[in-house]
Amino acid sequence: MTYEKVCALTDVPADGALGVEVGDTPVALVRAGGEVFALNDICSHAEVSLSEGEVEGGTIECWLHGSCFDLRTGKPTNPPATQPVATYRVKVEDGDVYVSLGSDD
Ligand code: FES
């Protein structure tokens, strides 16, 4: 399991999101309820950045058509999206955020 340092925790807005690249993968870092989550930043419905959406109630809402994605599972909670987005492991150490793109085993 390889973690990559992506940014400082203070770069991620509280109850908000930050779009970053981990290698070639676009990742939305989301801070909610004192935790940090990482999801693939491309909506599963059309190719727009989830990190530009609103964070609310444990989800991030796609700004284009309004599907919300569960921050823990990546699953959409309402249409039109039907497919989940990938989620990634996150750790915070010494004020920095690390993401692992490895499979969740
Ligand atoms: S592009 Fe995200 S719900 Fe349509």
Side-chain angles (χ1 to χ4, degrees):
M1 188 73 50
T2 312
Y3 283 87
E4 249 185 82
K5 183 170 159 179
V6 287
C7 65
L9 180 60
T10 51
D11 292 337
V12 188
D15 296 312
L18 175 73
V20 296
E21 295 267 324
V22 181
D24 291 333
T25 303
V27 172
L29 292 177
V30 181
R31 258 170 103 176
E35 280 187 80
V36 183
F37 301 89
L39 303 90
N40 193 284
D41 197 17
I42 305 299
C43 183
S44 63
H45 182 239
E47 296 215 353
V48 301
S49 291
L50 291 177
S51 57
E52 292 171 24
E54 295 286 316
V55 176
E56 205 180 294
T59 68
I60 187 161
E61 180 181 19
C62 178
W63 58 270
L64 190 55
H65 303 118
S67 281
C68 294
F69 292 84
D70 187 294
L71 297 175
R72 291 182 193 281
T73 65
K75 291 183 182 158
T77 60
N78 59 304
T82 57
Q83 298 299 312
V85 294
T87 58
Y88 309 112
R89 288 174 190 245
V90 182
K91 66 179 181 182
V92 178
E93 263 177 28
D94 297 330
D96 290 316
V97 179
Y98 296 77
V99 171
S100 169
L101 298 182
S103 61
D104 211 21
D105 46 27

